[in-house]
Amino acid sequence: MQTRDGVRLRLAAWRNGAKGTVLIFPGRTEYIEKYGGAAAALAHAGYTSLAIDWRGQGLSDRLLSNRLIGHVHRFSDYQQDVQTLVTAAETLDLPKPYFLMAHSMGGCIGLQSLMQGLPVQAVSFSAPMWGILFHPPAKRVLAWGLSSLLHPFKLAQLRAPGTSVGSHLQKVSFEENQLSCDPQMYEMMRCQLQELPDCALGGPSLRWLNEALRETLSLHRHRAPNHPALCFVGGLETIVDPRRIEQRMAHWPGAQLKVVPQAKHEFMMERPEIRENFYRETIAHFERHHPSA
């Protein structure tokens, strides 16, 4: 599909069920193939799935000549991708109603989409990026300052200092990784990138960083949307800010927050018992809020 501003997007539909369609919003650096397991779990429960490679990642159009730098001109541009995804669901005549499953950066994009009226019945978030952690915390001031200073200039297309040149998966051992406690799933992700090297993505540009910081702060200042929400965050989370997640969920009427002590960032790539529980509770949440319930 092509967006209104001419960006070529890659989408994938798993037509496996008539109960409805789950829109899958991946995280930064991710690509459609990572969500095959999610699509299989949803298919088993009777749902079709539709996933997207966001602009600047996966096999959608990359926005810089250096394809390993994650970049976006404005964070609001992702909403054009969302509109294109919804158009694709309608064009393909995928079954209604729609639901949303969103991970990390996809959770940030998804929350904005919900505030703008995304037509879904309910949403399940996995470690949503409603705030970004910096190690040490003093780096937050530097990130804001440097990225804001360079935001109007072409230098903002440079990779943010201290971030990976290539994929985190290809650079970091299992013992050092921040994503999963499951060595088999971590190896599976590494093998996927060996098979699909064009899907690899490194650190973000300074422009992406500044836009992400502005977007998460803006979302933090807005009231929660009127959608039934379920949210998971790991006790071992080191990428997104759990405090922002707790604050958001505490002021979201009727929403549920699930803190899983032994989980890292990627619930759908975690140990079998964790990811299976994520799918089970997500599907039950969708069932409770299905129009036929």
Side-chain angles (χ1 to χ4, degrees):
M1 298 284 287
Q2 193 169 60
T3 64
R4 287 184 304 178
D5 61 342
V7 177
R8 175 179 166 272
L9 298 179
R10 176 183 182 236
L11 301 102
W14 289 269
R15 296 173 179 268
N16 293 110
K19 283 186 179 179
T21 298
V22 179
L23 308 179
I24 298 176
F25 284 18
R28 199 191 80 80
T29 79
E30 293 190 321
Y31 44 90
I32 286 165
E33 283 77 3
K34 279 186 71 172
Y35 288 85
L42 292 165
H44 186 72
Y47 290 90
T48 282
S49 301
L50 181 63
I52 184 172
D53 282 352
W54 301 115
R55 63 179 62 208
Q57 63 189 64
L59 295 182
S60 290
D61 280 349
R62 300 291 172 109
L63 306 179
L64 298 178
S65 57
N66 184 344
R67 60 179 289 109
L68 288 176
I69 298 177
H71 183 71
V72 71
H73 185 62
R74 294 179 300 271
F75 221 84
S76 59
D77 290 344
Y78 289 123
Q79 295 305 316
Q80 294 194 59
D81 298 359
V82 172
Q83 293 165 11
T84 304
L85 180 73
V86 173
T87 298
E90 294 170 348
T91 301
L92 295 169
D93 196 26
L94 300 183
K96 293 182 178 181
Y98 300 150
F99 298 87
L100 174 61
M101 187 165 71
H103 172 64
S104 196
M105 184 184 83
C108 179
I109 297 169
L111 180 56
Q112 181 66 255
S113 300
L114 294 174
M115 290 178 175
Q116 294 186 22
L118 183 70
V120 296
Q121 294 291 124
V123 56
S124 176
F125 293 109
S126 160
M129 190 190 80
W130 296 337
I132 302 172
L133 281 183
F134 290 89
H135 311 281
K139 281 188 176 180
R140 175 179 294 276
V141 176
L142 178 62
W144 264 110
L146 183 60
S147 66
S148 295
L149 178 66
L150 296 178
H151 186 272
F153 304 107
K154 195 168 183 179
L155 285 173
Q157 296 180 5
L158 295 175
R159 183 172 50 83
T163 61
S164 176
V165 175
S167 167
H168 174 85
L169 288 162
Q170 295 168 321
K171 301 288 182 181
V172 177
S173 68
F174 171 73
E175 289 72 22
E176 300 171 303
N177 96 89
Q178 299 173 283
L179 303 177
S180 172
C181 295
D182 188 323
Q184 291 182 328
M185 293 300 284
Y186 193 72
E187 183 61 24
M188 184 275 290
M189 290 188 282
R190 289 167 67 102
C191 289
Q192 279 188 335
L193 283 180
Q194 289 174 3
E195 294 291 327
L196 301 164
D198 286 344
C199 286
L201 190 68
S205 68
L206 283 162
R207 178 89 183 202
W208 183 95
L209 178 60
N210 190 258
E211 287 288 318
L213 289 169
R214 291 170 187 256
E215 181 77 351
T216 54
L217 183 59
S218 174
L219 289 173
H220 182 64
R221 292 170 171 168
H222 284 77
R223 294 179 62 181
N226 187 27
H227 291 76
L230 177 64
C231 182
F232 292 79
V233 65
L236 304 177
E237 176 63 60
T238 58
I239 295 175
V240 301
D241 189 345
R243 184 175 55 90
R244 281 276 182 90
I245 294 172
E246 291 164 3
Q247 291 170 345
R248 164 61 64 192
M249 296 304 287
H251 295 92
W252 193 323
Q256 285 185 289
L257 175 62
K258 305 278 186 177
V259 179
V260 182
Q262 297 305 312
K264 290 188 178 181
H265 183 60
E266 297 207 8
F267 277 82
M268 287 170 269
M269 300 291 147
E270 262 295 356
R271 297 194 305 273
E273 64 273 18
I274 293 176
R275 66 176 182 268
E276 288 167 10
N277 184 65
F278 172 81
Y279 293 137
R280 183 168 54 250
E281 294 207 32
T282 291
I283 290 164
H285 175 62
F286 292 164
E287 298 282 326
R288 282 194 300 272
H289 298 287
H290 197 285
S292 65

